[in-house]
Amino acid sequence: MTPDPNVSSIVPKSGCTAGSCGSKADQMAGMPEHIRRKVEDHPCYSEKAHHHYARMHVAVAPACNIQCHYCNRKYDCANESRPGVVSEVLTPEQAVKKTLAVAAAIPQMSVLGIAGPGDPLANPERTFATFRGIAEKMPDIKLCVSTNGLALPDHVEALAACNIDHVTITINCVDADVGAQIYPWIFWQGERVRGREAARILIERQQLGLEMLVARGILVKVNSVLIPGVNDQHLKEVSKVVKAKGAFLHNVMPLIAEAEHGTFYGLMAQRSPSAEELKDLQDACEGDMNMMRHCRQCRADAVGLLGEDRGAEFTLDKIADMQIDEAFLASAKAVRDATKRKITAALEEQQRRAETPAPQAVISFHRRKPSADEGRPVLMAVATKGGGLINEHFGHAREFLIYQVTATAAKLVGHRKTANYCSGGDTCGDEEDVLGNIIAALAGCEAVLCAKIGFEPWGRLEAAGIAPNGEHPMEPIEAALVAVWQEMRAAGKLRTPAPAQRCA
Ligand code: CLF
Ligand code: SF4
């Protein structure tokens, strides 16, 4: 099958163009208009969009047709969710009602995804009934699905008929010998198939499904779970193969294996990759493929911006009495449209500012030859609650975005989850040394930017060699990071080598 040239041509030849690796706005500049429209408000397919747009998942798909060694059936599909998380399974009718309620309350919501708790395409009636119900009531909401790929070729036509523009396939290998170490069995044509043959069939079906989707002009993201000692050496090859077949984006996610999750890998003490191993592999694949770095491995019933979970606000009992009629739908749509216009204007303004000529200090710095140390990239952490702004108090942050910053660009390279230091009340931190754990999580970073920060964390961060910075509240993240880099260089702080890198 021939890939749609419009899709494969937008996968960058190199992940880093013109030295501004993180700028997805630049990436979008070269995109065909119809592709740009597909990704500009999808929080997973566009790093820029993830600061502004929300997604929700509905857990309508309980069954699965394969077994992965990192999965325990008691929990959600670990191909897109953190293992150990359980979602309440909804009927398609309940799922449609919940989606209407969320889209009315969260006007930044642009995408409805089905990602579990089993495999959506192993539950085709429930999955497609949900998609049809939502498409009928809210045609402006993008529909998205994540699958292990075994049943995918059987459903490509139905996905296209539902106007589904975004499909994720979890592809952990393209070699059956590797696959046999990940998948003990699949359920195929009414029988349980085991071992290498199971992996061979699964890989064949995944690749066929990928080709069929690309031929239909559907954007494909490939998720891969990085399993040290099993597929870590192999994923670069996976990246090359799926790129050649026209996949749009590759998302390498770390294996999470804990004995208490009861998975095969958890029980046999298979280790997870370190943050540094994950980043190294993402960097290695980036030469060949457009890599996703902002995935939060969200749950099968996640609601909100990536990284936040507002699911508890929309349980079935809370939405049971909602009256949803034509007027309700029209007014929710009007609010969503207005929100999208606002976000688009804000992004255009950010882009305009980024394109204005660099200040004199930056120009003169580039004209004279900087020493290698002075020009080195710096890892910085950012506390944000969305909108692309530095707008979160240090003590309230539950995660920090990690950027690699140079003289002219800031590239998102990951995120680190932490407990929040001030959990309410008069006191911050506790005897478990929450602050110490946050500082440990920020190892390798040389600065942390936040809207505000208290005296105690300020002192301890400084003592740990991480410069606290509350001087850019409500400013756009990337511009503020570059400004801080310039300040550090001007102060001679970049003459010293970077601390031991333990990247996101
Ligand atoms: Fe959901 Fe997945 Fe669609 Fe996104 S999630 S079905 S593509 S709308 Fe996104 Fe969540 Fe990562 Fe998935 S952050 S786990 S990549
Ligand atoms: Fe579990 Fe998902 Fe794998 Fe099925 S595809 S076994 S639900 S991780």
Side-chain angles (χ1 to χ4, degrees), residues 42 44-45 55 57 80 111 113 115 144 146 168 221 251 292 295-298 306:
H42 195 305
C44 303
Y45 283 69
R55 54 75 186 98
H57 289 164
E80 280 231 337
V111 177
C144 192
S146 170
T168 295
K221 170 165 74 63
N251 175 25
M292 177 179 187
C295 174
R296 304 297 205 281
Q297 289 174 278
C298 38
L306 302 193

Side-chain angles (χ1 to χ4, degrees), residues 23 114 136 270 384 419 504:
S23 174
I114 301 183
E136 187 196 326
Q270 163 67 50
T384 175

Side-chain angles (χ1 to χ4, degrees), residues 7 103 110 134 213 218 317 368 383 473 478 485 487:
V7 174
S110 57
I134 289 161
L213 289 167
I218 295 173
D317 54 319
R368 71 181 180 79
E478 290 173 17
W485 188 96
E487 287 157 20

